[in-house]
Each structure stands twice: as structure tokens, then as C-alpha cells.
């Protein structure tokens, strides 16, 4: 604030100034205003008194220029690691180390950072970067069996700082890697236990409900069932498992460019720590489905008791700040096979039914999970209880543990960022501004991981055994068994109503508007389809249902077939695209696949009202990593219901040429192959 003649003038602490280009690198320039040291007119420079804010008439400010690297070639980015002013740009080094695997492997960075001696870069600066790297991202150096990248680091540190903490950290990391490899080898040599992984030990093979029911009659549960334990015990064990898995997640595996590659051929080993959380999530949903539907002979009041207990377990997970299992339980309860059981829901008491509705609003799609985001932010700021000896009014000594987030929210944000922002800019410059935005999300994940370390929960083997022994129903079985329990009816008036809407375009448009510094205003990209409140006869679709392949009609959650595909992994990178509706939208997200032998692998891209067919095709080819391909060699088709396709002309504006009433699914096909397909229709 600038005070003059009793008045105050507001000054922005940081003001955007523009861009500067230097040696092929692009910097964003801001002006930072900071209050400088001043003296009171009545005080001399040597009186030793600190100036008070109200002593003088004028406050003096100094303005400094702040430069932050936005885009550059790889070599320049690596040089910036050791030359950046960390006071002016404190986020550059952590952002680079956290996201570099999205555009360059670790070995390539080390090759530029650790050239043969004598090194042209300052050794002390390189040592500092390596220290941060070893401490914050040790798994980047995992390369068994030789761990050559770590060996290069050890060699350099042995010359530059042989007795420093960085060298000791490198040696400790190598010992940890070797011990981990020995443990893995011992586990492989040991005979596998008879009990399989959680949720897979008792998966029945018959797909017909009759086969399942006959198998159910001949089985006797050994030991207590999962719901025989108390609500607190089950919720605490689920939280313990979620905490352990979330703490092991490598943030770099959550990047949109990494996570979106998991379905490619030969990519089974990509993002193993994230896949583990997905497996756990699906195991929890399977336990809910299996326990509610797994006893077809139960009467409606008895089944209602199981529903009520799972609702209480979900509420306890909420109290434990475990949003992962909370979301999994709610997803199972909202799935079609359970939702449609009107007699069972009709026997649920009023209080748990009200609790279920309130919990369901946390993850409502209506406002891009705004409730869950706000609650998660509030939970992060929640402080732990005061200790007995803490003076009244003072801050607590530590924060309360958790929360354990629903990882899908972060994965969706990162996928949308990867979709909306290009990897490269004009001049083959790496778009590092995109990496900064990704780092903001990854940093929050890391902060939550630190908070989760303060949970104090102990494993309970009987409950874990009951989780593994819980019957798991396939998608087909759960739907068919549900129809055996309660035959199809015209409506389900007793099922709880949950308001849901999927609006990915609105989410992305709002995110881009915030990044550009403008308000969403008219909500560009907001689909015009009105918010639909589920009718009693319309079961809510699970947020993890897989989209149908291009050209096939969407599976409706009605009598035609099952709709309980509770697979978190599939919905995060390719969620259902909303219809455009009114033509006031300026952008939307579309999904593009290539007609080849790799199956229906979608890649999402941002489509604006200015995009022509060649640019859309070229960006889609880049997303699919198709090398040495020309846009002119491909034709773009929009997939329409009824196994039809809409041919987009070669030089058309795709945004206006596409059918607004159809889903935003597209397919690329080489022009020489187009003659073999006769179901295409031309735009009218």
C-alpha cells in the first residue's frame, strides 16, 4: 500500500509485463513491487530502532523485474537448472524434476547435466540439483540391475562432493535398491500362497445366474464374513490399505501424458503405483456388490440391513477423511444392480438413507466435483486436536492425519491439462509453462502423501482375510443376479434419487478461463443440455462406466444389459463427452481413435471453433505418437449412432461440420482404406 496525505493507494505485488526472448528461450516477465527500508524523519540511521509503519508520511517501494522461463530447448532447460535464481523462480527446479519424464528420460538429462570432466557447469550448483533430485524423486534412478544412472551420479558426487550429504544419499539409495531387488527375488522363489490377491480368490466362473446360485448353495464361508465386523473396524482397515497405496504413488505416473499411455500394446508396466490404487478401488466396489448381491435368498429387510451397514461404513470413511474408499462404496451403491433393488431400498431406514444422499452430493458431477474439491481443501487445512498441556488459544502442535484423496480427481485434472495445452511451441520449444501447471497438481499430491504418514492404524489379519474371501461378481453376473433378486419393473420408486451430470467440456472451459485470467462469463463450452434429475426408473450411471466403442450404441442401464463397469482407470482418461447443444460454445473436448489393429484407443484433444480438419488430424496423430505421418493421408470421421460415420471434409471447420447431437467420438482412417467402408454419410 502507498500512503500519501492520509490516503492509501493499492499496488499489485506482482504485475504481468510481457515476454522476452533470449537465445531461443521465451521468458515471462513480471514486475514485483516490494517495500524498501525507510527511515523516520525523526530517527537517525544509527539509533538502532526499527522503523514503524506509521512513523513516516510516505512509504517507499522498489520495483524489480522477475523472469520465469516459459519455453526453451532441452539444453537450455538443463542449463537453467543450475543457473536459475531460486529466489526469483523457486518453482523451476522442482517443476522440472517432477515432470521431466513427460518429455525426456532421466539418462538424457544426466547426460547434459553431468558431462565428462572438467564440467563446464558450476559443480556446486549441479550438486545442489542432484541433492534435490535424489531426495524428492529417488525412483527416477531405479534401473535394475546395474542402476547405471545412479552410478553416474555417484561417480560425479565422488569427485565434486565426496563427503557431502548428497553423496551419502546416493550411496544409501543404491543400498536400498539392492535390498529391494533381493526381496523381490526371494518372493519370486517362494511358492505362492494358496490365497490369491484380494477380491480374486473366489471369483465364480459361471456367467449365468443359475450357475452362480448353484455354486453359492454349495459354498460355506470359512471364518467370519466381512460385514460380521464392526463399522469402525472395516472402515479403518480400508483406510489403512488406501493410505499405504496412496503413499507409494509416484506423482510422475499421474501425469496425463504418462497415464494416458497405459492402454497401448506392451504398456502393462506403465504407472504401476497408480494401477495399484485402481485395483484397490475396484476391490472395494466388488466387496460391496458381492456382499449385497451375494446372497440371493435374503429377504428385502435383511438386504436393507447390508445396505445400511455399507452406508455407515462410508460415513465412517468420511470421518476418517478417507475419500478413496468413500467414493468406491458410493459408486457401488449407485451402480445399476444395487440401485434398482426398490424393495431393498424401500426397507432402508430414513436416517441412513438421508446420510447416503448427503454423501453422494460430495462427488456430484454437477459442479465438477466442486463439493469434494472444497471439502478436500478444508480437510487439508484442518488442524489436529490440542494436547492437554497446550495453552488455550495457541495453535496445535501438529495437523490431523490425512486426508486420503480420491486420486481420480487429480488424474482427471492432469489429463485435461495434457489435452488442452501443447507439449511443443513454435520453433520446437518445450512448453515448460505446461509443466509448471502440472507441477502445481503434483505438489499437492506430494503434500497429501506427507499428511498421510501421520495415520496410526494397525492391520487386522481377520478383516484382511475376509476382504480377500469376499465373493466377487463379474459385471454380467451382478446384473443378472440383481434381476433374479428383483425381476425388472417399470419403475423403482423406492430407490434413492441422486442428481448427477457429466460436464467435461464445462470443466475444461472453466479451467482454461481461469488460466487466462478471465472469468468464465458465458461458460464457453458449457453444454446446453439441462441438468437432469434421475427419474425413479433411471438408475444413475457409475462414474467409472466404460464408454462404448466408436460406432456402437451406448449401453443403457436398463433391461438390455449390465452397466456396472466400475473401472476407475477407464473413465479418467476418456470420460463421456457431453453434447454441445447450443452453438454458443467456443471449445469442447473430442476423442479421436485410429482405425488400426490396436483396438479402440482414444486420445483426447481440445477442439475450438477455429480448428480446420488438417490441424485436428495432425494433432490427433501426434497424440497417438504416429511417426512420419501427414494429415493429408488421413480422413476424419465422426462416429454416429447406428454404426454410421460422418465424413468431415478435408478443409472444413470441424467444430461446425460435426454433428452436435452425437457424442464427440472421431476416427482417423487412411484414405486408401476409405473405399472399403460404405456406411459413411456426407454432412448436409
Amino acid at each position: 500500500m502507498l500512503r500519501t496525505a492520509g490516503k492509501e493507494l493499492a499496488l499489485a505485488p506482482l504485475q504481468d509485463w510481457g515476454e522476452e526472448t533470449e537465445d531461443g528461450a521465451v521468458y515471462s516477465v513480471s514486475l514485483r513491487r516490494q517495500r524498501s527500508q525507510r527511515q523516520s524523519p525523526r530517527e537517525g540511521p544509527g539509533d538502532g530502532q526499527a522503523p514503524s509503519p506509521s512513523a513516516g508520511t510516505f512509504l517507499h517501494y522498489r520495483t524489480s523485474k522477475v523472469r520465469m522461463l516459459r519455453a526453451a530447448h532441452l539444453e537450455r532447460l538443463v542449463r537453467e537448472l543450475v543457473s536459475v535464481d531460486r529466489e526469483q523462480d523457486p518453482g523451476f527446479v522442482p517443476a522440472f524434476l517432477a515432470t521431466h519424464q513427460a518429455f525426456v528420460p532421466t539418462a538424457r538429462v544426466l547426460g547434459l547435466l553431468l558431462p565428462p570432466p572438467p564440467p563446464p557447469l558450476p559443480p556446486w550448483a549441479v550438486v545442489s540439483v542432484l541433492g534435490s533430485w535424489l531426495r524428492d524423486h529417488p525412483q527416477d534412478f531405479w534401473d535394475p540391475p546395474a542402476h547405471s544412472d545412479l552410478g553416474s551420479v555417484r561417480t560425479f558426487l565422488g569427485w565434486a562432493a565426496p563427503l557431502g550429504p548428497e553423496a551419502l544419499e546416493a550411496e544409501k539409495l543404491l543400498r536400498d535398491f539392492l535390498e529391494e531387488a533381493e526381496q523381490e527375488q526371494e518372493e519370486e522363489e517362494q511358492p505362492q500362497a494358496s490365497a490369491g490377491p484380494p477380491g480374486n480368490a473366489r471369483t465364480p466362473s459361471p456367467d449365468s445366474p443359475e450357475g452362480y446360485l448353484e455354486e453359492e448353495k454349495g459354498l460355506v464361508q470359512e471364518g467370519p464374513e466381512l460385514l460380521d465386523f464392526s463399522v469402525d473396524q472395516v472402515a479403518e482397515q480400508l483406510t489403512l490399505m488406501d493410505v499405504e497405496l496412496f503413499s507409494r504413488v509416484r506423482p510422475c505416473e499421474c501425469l496425463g501424458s504418462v497415464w494416458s499411455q497405459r492402454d497401448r500394446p506392451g504398456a502393462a508396466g506403465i504407472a504401476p503405483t497408480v494401477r495399484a490404487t485402481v485395483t484397490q478401488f475396484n476391490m472395494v466396489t466388488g466387496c460391496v456388490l458381492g456382499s449385497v448381491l451375494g446372497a440371493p435368498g435374503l429377504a428385502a429387510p435383511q438386504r436393507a440391513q447390508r445396505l445400511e451397514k455399507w452406508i455407515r461404513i462410508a460415513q465412517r470413511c468420511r470421518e476418517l477423511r478417507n475419500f478413496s474408499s468413500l467414493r468406491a462404496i458410493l459408486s457401488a451403491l449407485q451402480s445399476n444392480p444395487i440401485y434398482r433393488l426398490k424393495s431393498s431400498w424401500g426397507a432402508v431406514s430414513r436416517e441412513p438413507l438421508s446420510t447416503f444422499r448427503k454423501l453422494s452430493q460430495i462427488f456430484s458431477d454437477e459442479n465438477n466435483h466442486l463439493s469434494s474439491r472444497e471439502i478436500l481443501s478444508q480437510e487439508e487445512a484442518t488442524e489436529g486436536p490440542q494436547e492437554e498441556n497446550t495453552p488455550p488459544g495457541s495453535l496445535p502442535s501438529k495437523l490431523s492425519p490425512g486426508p486420503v484423496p480420491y486420486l481420480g480427481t487429480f488424474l482427471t485434472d492432469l489429463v485435461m491439462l495434457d489435452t488442452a495445452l501443447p507439449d511443443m511451441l513454435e520453433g520446437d520449444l518445450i512448453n515448460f509453462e505446461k509443466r509448471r501447471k502440472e507441477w502445481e497438481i503434483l505438489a499437492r499430491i506430494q503434500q497429501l502423501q506427507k499428511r498421510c504418514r501421520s495415520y496410526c492404524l494397525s492391520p487386522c489379519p481377520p478383516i484382511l482375510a475376509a476382504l480377500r474371501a469376499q465373493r466377487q461378481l463379474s459385471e454380467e453376473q451382478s446384473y443378472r443376479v440383481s434381476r433374479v433378486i428383483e425381476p425388472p419393473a417399470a419403475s423403482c420408486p423406492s430407490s434413492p434419487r441422486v442428481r448427477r451430470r457429466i460436464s467435461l467440456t464445462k470443466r475444461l472451459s472453466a479451467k482454461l478461463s481461469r488460466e487466462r485470467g478471465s472469468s468464465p462469463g458465458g461458460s464457453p463450452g458449457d453444454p446446453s443440455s439441462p441438468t437432469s434429475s434421475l427419474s425413479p426408473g433411471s438408475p444413475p450411471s457409475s462414474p467409472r462406466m466404460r464408454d462404448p466403442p466408436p460406432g456402437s450404441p451406448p449401453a443403457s442401464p436398463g433391461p438390455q444389459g449390465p452397466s456396472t463397469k466400475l473401472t476407475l482407470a477407464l473413465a479418467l482418461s476418456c470420460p463421456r463427452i457431453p453434447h454441445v447443444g447450443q452453438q454458443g460454445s467456443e471449445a469442447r473436448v473430442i476423442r479421436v481413435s485410429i482405425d488400426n489393429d490396436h483396438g479402440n484407443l482414444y486420445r483426447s484433444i481440445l477442439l475450438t471453433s477455429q480448428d480446420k480438419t488438417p490441424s485436428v488430424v495432425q494433432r490427433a496423430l501426434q497424440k497417438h505418437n504416429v511417426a512420419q505421418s501427414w494429415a493429408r493421408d488421413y480422413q476424419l470421421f465422426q462416429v454416429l449412432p447406428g454404426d454410421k460415420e460422418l465424413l468431415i471434409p478435408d478443409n472444413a471447420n470441424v467444430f461446425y461440420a460435426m454433428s452436435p447431437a452425437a457424442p464427440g467420438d472421431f476416427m482417423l482412417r487412411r484414405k486408401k482404406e476409405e473405399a472399403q467402408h460404405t456406411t459413411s454419410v456426407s454432412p448436409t
Side-chain angles (χ1 to χ4, degrees):
M1 304 292 291
L2 178 61
R3 190 189 307 274
T4 170
K7 299 181 180 180
E8 294 183 353
L9 178 63
L11 291 176
L14 193 66
Q15 180 181 356
D16 292 336
W17 186 256
E19 292 184 351
E20 288 184 357
T21 301
E22 178 183 293
D23 297 335
V26 180
Y27 291 84
S28 62
V29 181
S30 303
L31 298 181
R32 177 179 296 166
R33 293 185 177 90
Q34 295 175 318
R35 194 173 71 176
S36 61
Q37 183 74 19
R38 64 173 180 79
Q39 297 180 1
S40 172
R42 299 179 181 179
E43 297 174 354
D47 56 9
Q49 299 182 6
S52 62
S54 60
T57 304
F58 296 97
L59 298 180
H60 301 276
Y61 285 81
R62 60 183 178 87
T63 302
S64 59
K65 185 173 72 171
V66 178
R67 298 202 317 169
M68 300 178 67
L69 189 61
R70 294 191 59 186
H73 294 291
L74 176 61
E75 292 77 7
R76 181 59 179 265
L77 290 175
V78 175
R79 289 204 306 270
E80 195 79 5
L81 283 174
V82 296
S83 61
V84 65
D85 186 343
R86 296 201 180 190
E87 292 186 359
Q88 280 201 352
D89 190 1
F92 178 82
V93 173
F96 181 94
L97 296 179
T99 64
H100 76 277
Q101 295 207 27
F103 56 91
V104 60
T106 298
R108 175 63 173 155
V109 177
L110 291 176
L112 296 172
L113 191 64
L114 307 176
L121 300 176
W124 60 268
V126 177
V127 169
S128 177
V129 172
L130 292 176
S132 299
W133 202 346
L134 291 167
R135 180 179 61 255
D136 298 334
H137 307 280
Q139 289 298 319
D140 287 353
F141 302 96
W142 171 264
D143 184 23
H147 303 292
S148 56
D149 293 339
L150 183 57
S152 300
V153 172
R154 292 172 59 241
T155 300
F156 175 83
L157 292 176
W159 166 80
L163 301 179
E166 297 83 4
L168 298 178
E169 185 69 25
E171 296 297 332
K172 179 180 180 301
L173 184 59
L174 179 60
R175 291 195 299 270
D176 293 343
F177 283 170
L178 295 178
E179 292 177 1
E180 184 175 351
E182 291 179 359
Q183 293 178 357
E184 291 181 355
Q185 185 175 2
E186 292 177 358
E187 293 176 358
E188 292 177 357
E189 293 176 353
Q190 293 177 355
Q192 296 184 354
S194 57
N200 292 336
R202 300 180 58 193
T203 300
S205 57
D207 286 333
S208 65
E210 294 78 9
Y212 169 77
L213 296 177
E214 290 298 326
E215 185 178 359
E216 178 68 20
K217 293 178 181 178
L219 286 175
V220 178
Q221 175 71 40
E222 297 181 0
E225 295 184 359
L226 181 60
L227 293 187
D228 291 338
F229 297 94
S230 69
V231 169
D232 289 347
Q233 288 177 317
V234 176
E236 288 174 2
Q237 292 305 299
L238 292 178
T239 301
L240 175 62
M241 299 170 73
D242 289 333
V243 166
E244 292 178 348
L245 291 173
F246 176 67
S247 299
R248 297 172 187 167
V249 168
R250 294 184 62 193
C252 66
E253 294 181 5
C254 301
L255 290 170
S257 58
V258 176
W259 180 237
S260 61
Q261 302 297 315
R262 68 193 180 281
D263 292 329
R264 299 192 62 184
I270 287 182
T273 62
V274 178
R275 289 177 185 267
T277 64
V278 173
T279 301
Q280 167 70 9
F281 187 98
N282 291 334
M283 186 271 290
V284 176
T285 60
C287 285
V288 179
L289 285 168
S291 63
V292 174
L293 302 175
L298 289 179
Q302 295 173 306
R303 202 175 307 280
Q305 292 178 0
R306 299 194 174 199
L307 292 173
E308 291 179 1
K309 187 154 189 178
W310 276 116
I311 293 173
R312 291 197 297 271
I313 293 173
Q315 175 62 26
R316 182 55 182 153
C317 287
R318 171 65 185 88
E319 295 169 358
L320 290 170
R321 293 146 49 104
N322 179 5
F323 291 89
S324 181
S325 284
L326 170 61
R327 179 70 187 272
I329 296 171
L330 293 177
S331 298
L333 294 177
Q334 294 169 1
S335 66
N336 186 33
I338 293 181
Y339 177 87
R340 62 174 299 277
L341 302 177
K342 65 173 184 177
S343 298
S344 300
W345 283 108
V348 174
S349 303
R350 180 178 301 178
E351 183 178 352
L353 198 59
S354 175
T355 300
F356 174 65
R357 291 194 181 100
K358 292 178 181 178
L359 293 175
S360 298
Q361 290 304 311
I362 295 177
F363 298 103
S364 171
D365 291 314
E366 192 166 317
N367 292 312
N368 185 21
H369 297 175
L370 183 60
S371 297
S372 65
R373 296 172 187 272
E374 292 178 347
I375 292 174
L376 186 61
S377 299
Q378 294 171 3
E379 294 289 342
E380 289 182 70
T382 301
E383 297 172 342
Q386 291 188 351
E387 299 177 359
E388 295 182 359
N389 298 328
T390 303
S394 62
L395 294 176
S397 59
K398 62 180 180 180
L399 298 174
S400 56
V404 184
Y406 168 57
L407 191 61
T409 302
F410 296 111
L411 294 175
T412 302
D413 290 346
L414 289 166
V415 167
M416 288 197 298
L417 272 179
D418 183 60
T419 298
L421 303 179
D423 294 332
M424 308 295 293
L425 300 180
E426 185 178 357
D428 291 332
L429 301 181
I430 297 174
N431 183 8
F432 196 74
E433 186 67 20
K434 173 180 180 177
R435 307 307 168 189
R436 291 183 187 272
K437 296 182 184 299
E438 292 176 330
W439 159 241
E440 293 176 2
I441 300 176
L442 298 184
R444 192 177 177 194
I445 294 176
Q446 288 184 334
Q447 184 63 29
L448 287 169
Q449 288 176 320
K450 294 178 181 178
R451 292 284 300 271
C452 284
R453 297 173 186 169
S454 55
Y455 273 103
C456 295
L457 299 172
S458 300
C460 181
I463 299 180
L464 298 177
L467 283 169
R468 296 187 181 96
Q470 177 61 56
R471 291 192 61 81
Q472 301 282 308
L473 278 70
S474 68
E475 177 182 357
E476 184 76 12
Q477 287 172 335
S478 61
Y479 180 76
R480 292 181 179 272
V481 172
S482 175
R483 289 166 60 90
V484 171
I485 295 173
E486 292 190 24
S491 63
C492 299
S494 300
S495 300
R497 298 186 181 185
V498 182
R499 295 171 63 89
R500 307 184 62 86
R501 182 179 68 176
I502 300 177
S503 53
L504 177 63
T505 303
K506 180 178 180 179
R507 279 181 260 171
L508 186 52
S509 299
K511 178 180 289 291
L512 294 178
S513 298
R514 289 194 301 269
E515 292 170 355
R516 293 167 183 156
S518 60
S519 61
S523 297
D526 183 9
S528 64
S529 57
T531 304
S532 59
S533 179
L534 289 171
S535 62
S538 301
S541 298
S542 166
R544 273 143 307 283
M545 288 175 56
R546 184 173 186 175
D547 290 339
S552 63
S556 62
Q560 291 82 3
S563 60
T564 60
K565 190 65 175 178
L566 301 173
T567 306
L568 170 67
L570 297 174
L572 295 174
S573 66
C574 49
R576 173 73 65 184
I577 304 299
H579 296 188
V580 174
Q582 295 178 354
Q583 296 303 315
S585 302
E586 296 179 358
R588 68 173 297 183
V589 175
I590 63 173
R591 305 188 311 165
V592 185
S593 64
I594 298 181
D595 191 5
N596 53 27
D597 296 331
H598 293 165
N600 297 320
L601 297 180
Y602 292 100
R603 293 296 175 261
S604 300
I605 63 174
L606 181 67
L607 177 67
T608 70
S609 58
Q610 306 299 320
D611 287 334
K612 299 294 185 68
T613 303
S615 65
V616 173
V617 172
Q618 193 63 44
R619 280 188 290 146
L621 292 172
Q622 293 174 356
K623 281 286 184 178
H624 281 274
N625 296 322
V626 178
Q628 298 179 352
S629 294
W630 299 92
R632 63 174 179 266
D633 296 335
Y634 288 83
Q635 284 186 310
L636 182 65
F637 296 84
Q638 184 182 10
V639 179
L640 303 178
D643 293 332
K644 294 183 179 180
E645 297 172 344
L646 175 65
L647 172 62
I648 306 298
D650 288 343
N651 200 32
N653 185 309
V654 179
F655 188 87
Y656 295 106
M658 65 183 293
S659 172
D665 292 339
F666 288 77
M667 177 179 293
L668 291 178
R669 184 179 296 122
R670 283 189 175 273
K671 292 184 177 180
K672 64 180 181 179
E673 302 173 357
E674 195 276 330
Q676 303 175 5
H677 297 265
T678 60
T679 59
S680 301
V681 295
S682 299
T684 56

